[in-house]
Amino acid sequence: MIIGWKIYDRLPEDEQKEFALIERYRTDYFYEYYEYENAKGNKNYEWSDRCFKNQEELLEFFCYEMIEDLNVDAVYARRVEMFTDEDGKELMKFCDDGNQIKVMGAN
């Protein structure tokens, strides 16, 4: 499970210790990535990483409309055996915009 910084920052300190920082996102990173891909002549590239399958999913997670809105936004992760709707409701109490919760299953 990953959560955004808005939820993480509002969790009690003992719960924060259960999560690890796994990625930070900054607008200039995306500019550098696209410049690099363009310089290689790759015109049909699509960004993705271990947390998000594309840029649109990342923006939706943080409730942003444009990549320029990213400003050192971070995601934190922890392993869970089972994630229930009740778990989701409990975490959403700490978030006032966007979803900022993503459960990624392991096969």
Side-chain angles (χ1 to χ4, degrees):
M1 167 180 65
I2 63 172
I3 61 172
W5 67 271
K6 289 181 182 178
I7 292 176
Y8 178 84
D9 284 353
R10 295 175 179 157
L11 288 174
E13 193 172 318
D14 59 324
E15 287 186 50
Q16 285 181 348
K17 292 177 183 177
E18 297 176 14
F19 288 87
L21 173 66
I22 58 168
E23 197 67 62
R24 289 186 191 272
Y25 298 97
R26 296 175 27 169
T27 299
D28 59 348
Y29 159 78
F30 288 92
Y31 290 149
E32 291 169 9
Y33 172 80
Y34 288 123
E35 282 178 25
Y36 173 75
E37 290 294 330
N38 193 36
K40 290 191 327 186
N42 185 1
K43 304 283 186 211
N44 298 318
Y45 50 85
E46 179 67 38
W47 175 87
S48 67
D49 72 359
R50 62 186 172 172
C51 299
F52 301 100
K53 61 185 173 195
N54 56 43
Q55 183 175 307
E56 289 77 25
E57 186 180 32
L58 171 70
L59 292 174
E60 184 177 314
F61 180 84
F62 285 113
C63 197
Y64 294 145
E65 292 186 22
M66 299 177 3
I67 204 66
E68 290 80 9
D69 295 329
L70 285 173
N71 185 21
V72 194
D73 291 286
V75 293
Y76 297 82
R78 86 169 197 211
R79 184 176 303 276
V80 294
E81 292 297 320
M82 184 183 301
F83 187 80
T84 66
D85 289 340
E86 197 59 41
D87 295 330
K89 288 178 189 175
E90 190 66 28
L91 285 172
M92 285 305 294
K93 290 193 290 187
F94 298 104
C95 188
D96 51 7
D97 61 349
N99 185 357
Q100 292 209 11
I101 300 171
K102 182 175 180 183
V103 178
M104 302 165 66
N107 295 330

